[in-house]
Amino acid sequence: MSEQEPLFIDGKDLPGFHSLLGYRQVSWEENEAVLELELQPRHLNLGGVIHGGVLTSLLDIVLAQAGTHCPYPGRMRKAITLSLTTTFTGQCSGGTIKVTGRKRAGGTRIFNSTGEVHDEKGNLLAIAEGTFRIRSGSDKPEGVPI
């Protein structure tokens, strides 16, 4: 984990849609972010396994975070998703999943990240690749006030 505590340690204080997911920030540092989610019935589809929308949402978040780390307390950097491709490779219906995103390449405003989701046993549930654009005003390392 980076020296600065992540903005949102548990799922209780997350803003907007993020609070519906209820994930926990495990780490967030330059070029890498990690989330965990303890699966609840609300995360499952009609078949009783994790919903693909939950996996895609978590991957979207962690891939964007991988390219937007801000080391300055009380500030953050923001990005918008330009494209996101998700491939589902497994299923689970309980336990805690781990979502990891890594920045792979990029310039001053556009970057690419990849990510994976694993269950508690290490089984691969999904992979993703995304392209993101740093939002205007938060393109500098100091970002913008929270």
Side-chain angles (χ1 to χ4, degrees):
M1 186 180 286
S2 64
E3 292 178 22
Q4 175 191 351
E5 286 297 313
L7 294 175
F8 311 110
I9 300 299
D10 58 30
K12 298 175 190 159
D13 297 325
L14 296 168
F17 178 69
H18 298 261
S19 68
L20 292 175
L21 293 171
Y23 60 84
R24 181 176 80 83
Q25 189 82 51
V26 175
S27 64
W28 190 358
E29 54 195 43
E30 191 70 26
N31 299 322
E32 183 176 285
V34 180
L35 306 174
E36 284 185 347
L37 175 68
E38 183 179 339
L39 295 181
Q40 305 295 320
R42 70 177 184 261
H43 299 122
L44 306 181
N45 64 19
L46 295 175
V49 297
I50 189 167
H51 193 286
V54 172
L55 292 169
T56 301
S57 294
L58 292 169
L59 284 160
D60 184 40
I61 292 164
V62 79
L63 269 62
Q65 285 183 344
T68 57
H69 178 260
C70 182
Y72 298 91
R75 301 183 70 84
M76 68 184 305
R77 298 177 71 210
K78 301 175 184 180
I80 60 170
T81 307
L82 299 177
S83 69
L84 180 67
T85 303
T86 305
T87 302
F88 304 104
T89 59
Q91 302 177 2
C92 72
S93 56
T96 300
I97 61 170
K98 182 177 181 180
V99 188
T100 304
R102 291 181 182 85
K103 179 180 173 184
R104 297 295 185 189
T108 57
R109 296 286 302 266
I110 306 289
F111 66 93
N112 299 89
S113 297
T114 59
E116 299 182 345
V117 182
H118 292 87
D119 68 12
E120 291 180 336
K121 297 175 185 173
N123 297 314
L124 184 64
L125 303 179
I127 57 176
E129 180 175 326
T131 303
F132 302 84
R133 181 176 62 81
I134 302 289
R135 292 188 63 158
S136 297
S138 67
D139 47 330
K140 293 185 174 42
E142 64 272 13
V144 295
I146 294 175

